Amino acid sequence: MLLWKEIYAAVDTIREKLNSTQLSNEDRQFERKKLHALLETYQFLCIIENFSEKSKDKFLIWGSEGKKRKEIADRLGMSVDAIRASNNRFDNKLRMIIGVDIIRSILNSSSEEALEQTMEQFRHNTSPENLSNNEVFRKLSIELSGKLTPNQRNERA
C-alpha cells in the first residue's frame, strides 16, 4: 500500500474509533493525539510536494489511480506499469526518509509514551540537520527539482 493510502486508511481507522460511543474520554483524547501525529507526517509530505513544479507533478502521479493513472500515463507517453514502478520507487524513498513503519507505529501506539517516542523518531528523521545528511533525501531533492550536477549528468550519459 502506498504511503498516502496508508495515511488515509489510518485516519479512517481513527475516525471510526472516535465515532464509537464505547470510547472513554481518555481513549478519545489519545486517538486525537494519534490523528494529530498523522497530520504532522502528512504536513511533511505537503512540504516536499510543494518543493517545485516537478515535485507537484511527481506527487500528482504518485497519488493517481485507475482511470486518472491511465490518462497521466498516456499524456507522459509512459505505460501504466512504468508509472506504477516509478510510484513504488518514489514511495520507498519517502518511507526511507520519514521512517519505514511510521504510520503503522502511530496507529498501533498503545500509550502516550510510545506515540511520543514514535513522533520523536519521525521529527529526528525529518529535521533539517538530519535531512541535510540524508543521501536518499538529497537524491530525491535533486530528482524533484529537475536539477542535475555535472557528475550526475555524466553518470546518466
Side-chain angles (χ1 to χ4, degrees):
M1 179 182 301
L2 293 176
L3 181 59
W4 69 267
K5 287 182 180 182
E6 190 176 347
I7 291 171
Y8 283 16
V11 167
D12 287 344
T13 298
I14 291 172
R15 281 187 180 154
E16 286 177 22
K17 287 181 181 180
L18 288 171
N19 288 333
S20 170
T21 56
Q22 305 297 322
L23 214 56
S24 69
N25 285 339
E26 186 177 290
D27 289 340
R28 189 173 305 282
Q29 187 64 21
F30 183 57
E31 292 301 318
R32 285 187 185 122
K33 287 181 180 182
K34 288 182 183 181
L35 199 55
H36 182 76
L38 291 169
L39 177 61
E40 190 174 333
T41 61
Y42 181 77
Q43 286 174 327
F44 177 77
L45 296 176
C46 289
I47 291 168
I48 295 176
E49 177 181 9
N50 291 304
F51 187 70
S52 69
E53 286 304 312
K54 187 171 182 178
S55 67
K56 289 178 184 177
D57 291 340
K58 188 72 170 179
F59 271 81
L60 177 67
I61 293 168
W62 181 57
S64 66
E65 293 186 283
K67 184 179 176 188
K68 190 173 184 178
R69 184 177 285 171
K70 175 72 172 126
E71 290 171 5
I72 290 172
D74 290 344
R75 189 179 73 216
L76 296 175
M78 297 173 69
S79 70
V80 173
D81 287 340
I83 290 208
R84 188 177 296 113
S86 174
N87 284 349
N88 287 338
R89 283 191 303 274
F90 183 65
D91 195 76
N92 287 336
K93 288 177 187 176
L94 290 173
R95 286 176 188 277
M96 288 176 67
I97 292 166
I98 69 170
V100 176
D101 290 324
I102 194 77
I103 305 306
R104 192 173 312 124
S105 294
I106 291 169
L107 194 58
N108 293 334
S109 293
S110 57
S111 68
E112 290 193 28
E113 294 79 24
L115 179 60
E116 187 55 36
Q117 189 175 30
T118 297
M119 292 313 294
E120 285 301 316
Q121 183 61 50
F122 167 77
R123 291 178 192 121
H124 170 76
N125 292 349
T126 59
S127 69
E129 301 82 32
N130 195 45
L131 289 176
S132 65
N133 295 320
N134 185 314
E135 186 66 18
V136 174
F137 183 74
R138 187 184 69 74
K139 288 179 179 178
L140 183 62
S141 299
I142 292 168
E143 178 184 330
L144 294 178
S145 69
K147 298 175 184 172
L148 297 176
T149 65
N151 285 344
Q152 290 167 325
R153 280 190 215 109
N154 292 337
E155 288 173 7
R156 288 194 171 188

